[in-house]
Each structure stands twice: as structure tokens, then as C-alpha cells.
Amino acid sequence: MAKNKGKIFEEDFSKSTPENWFCHRLKDTAQSYNNSEKTKFSWDNPFDYFLFNSKTLYCLELKSTCQKYMGFQENEDDESSKMIKWHQIKSLTEASKYQNIVAGFVLNFRLSDSEQITYFLDVQNFNKMKDSINKKSFTIMDAVLYGAKKIDGFKKRTRWHWNIKEFFETYNN
């Protein structure tokens, strides 16, 4: 069975994390695999990853798309099938209130087989963008205009490597 491109991006992200950093991927629930309404008993994960470099805890939701935009739920009553869920926005916003925690979205745009571009957008800037753009989705340009920072990466042979250490070490400075 072919692996989901989003899961491949998550694997590449994890493998790009320095060995001496704590990187933990929360396990997906059964509901998240097929968006089934039959699994009402399962919970919604607040976000995908905890990443810790001995100074800062990063709470991250990773998103990957082959589109030039990403959709988001506007509020808790929005039941539309969007890439970014309301509970993820809410959880990251809550996590960001604590000292030494940075919370946000890692946004991966797969432009072609040989070109991917990835950004980090902290949740405060995401919320500003969401509240300002008057759309239910955003483009790469929207994200950049609201403070998304590029995470450099390169394609090895078949898989990508992201410069996680360099990005997050300079992000807080």
C-alpha cells in the first residue's frame, strides 16, 4: 500500500530533527484515518508533534498539500472538511500562552516531485491571518505576508531533509 504523502513529509521532518532533541509524534486516532463518524469514542489530538531542544518546547501541527492553498475551519461550529481543524488552532493557541513554548504550523507545499517549500507559521500570526483574510483558505503568499518563515530543505535522492536545527535555533533570536 502506497504511503500518504503527508506521512512521508512527517517521516522526513522527524528524520531531520537533531538526535539530541526530543521529538515525539502523537499517535493518530482511528477516526483521523478515514474521518469516520462511527468512531465517536476517539479523541482529537491537540497537534502532531512535541519538539524540545533543551530551551524551548515546540508544539507543532504539520500540514502537507499539493495544492497552492490550505483550508481551515473558522470556528468550533464549522464542521466542514478542511485541512486545518478548529481543535488544532485552539490547542496550539492555548499552548502558546506558556513561557518557553512556541506553537504553530509547519506548512509543506509540494509544488512538484522535485520542489517542495516549507514554512513555519506561529499560531498567533496564523490567527491574525485567519481573522483578516476574509477567506476559508490561505495561499503561500498569505502565510508569508502574515509572518511565515521558510524552513530550508533539500532533496537527497528520493526523500527530503529539512534544516530543523538551523531554523529553530535562529527562529527565537
Side-chain angles (χ1 to χ4, degrees), residues 69-96:
Y69 62 90
M70 289 188 190
F72 56 86
Q73 292 178 332
E74 294 184 277
N75 54 52
E76 64 185 324
D77 296 326
D78 185 348
E79 294 182 9
S80 60
S81 178
K82 301 290 185 182
M83 183 170 278
I84 296 176
K85 308 294 184 204
W86 177 252
H87 74 272
Q88 295 164 339
I89 300 166
K90 183 178 172 188
S91 297
L92 289 169
T93 301
E94 184 62 33
S96 73

Side-chain angles (χ1 to χ4, degrees), residues 19 82 117 139 148 173:
E19 287 184 23
K82 301 290 185 182
I117 190 164
T139 64
N173 295 334

Side-chain angles (χ1 to χ4, degrees), residues 20-119:
N20 62 335
W21 288 24
F22 175 72
C23 180
H24 179 72
R25 168 68 163 98
L26 297 173
K27 296 201 182 318
D28 285 327
T29 62
Q31 179 178 339
S32 65
Y33 287 107
N34 60 8
N35 290 326
S36 174
E37 290 298 316
K38 296 176 183 169
T39 53
K40 293 262 188 217
F41 62 87
S42 65
W43 65 92
D44 290 324
N45 281 342
F47 37 80
D48 290 330
Y49 276 90
F50 290 107
L51 188 61
F52 182 65
N53 68 358
S54 80
K55 296 177 201 162
T56 305
L57 175 65
Y58 298 93
C59 300
L60 305 173
E61 179 64 33
L62 276 62
K63 297 296 180 185
S64 183
T65 185
C66 61
Q67 305 295 322
K68 294 180 181 180
Y69 62 90
M70 289 188 190
F72 56 86
Q73 292 178 332
E74 294 184 277
N75 54 52
E76 64 185 324
D77 296 326
D78 185 348
E79 294 182 9
S80 60
S81 178
K82 301 290 185 182
M83 183 170 278
I84 296 176
K85 308 294 184 204
W86 177 252
H87 74 272
Q88 295 164 339
I89 300 166
K90 183 178 172 188
S91 297
L92 289 169
T93 301
E94 184 62 33
S96 73
K97 295 176 182 176
Y98 294 91
Q99 187 175 353
N100 298 327
I101 294 181
V102 173
F105 296 93
V106 177
L107 309 169
N108 173 251
F109 293 91
R110 302 183 313 273
L111 306 176
S112 68
D113 281 343
S114 62
E115 186 179 8
Q116 293 187 22
I117 190 164
T118 300
Y119 292 93

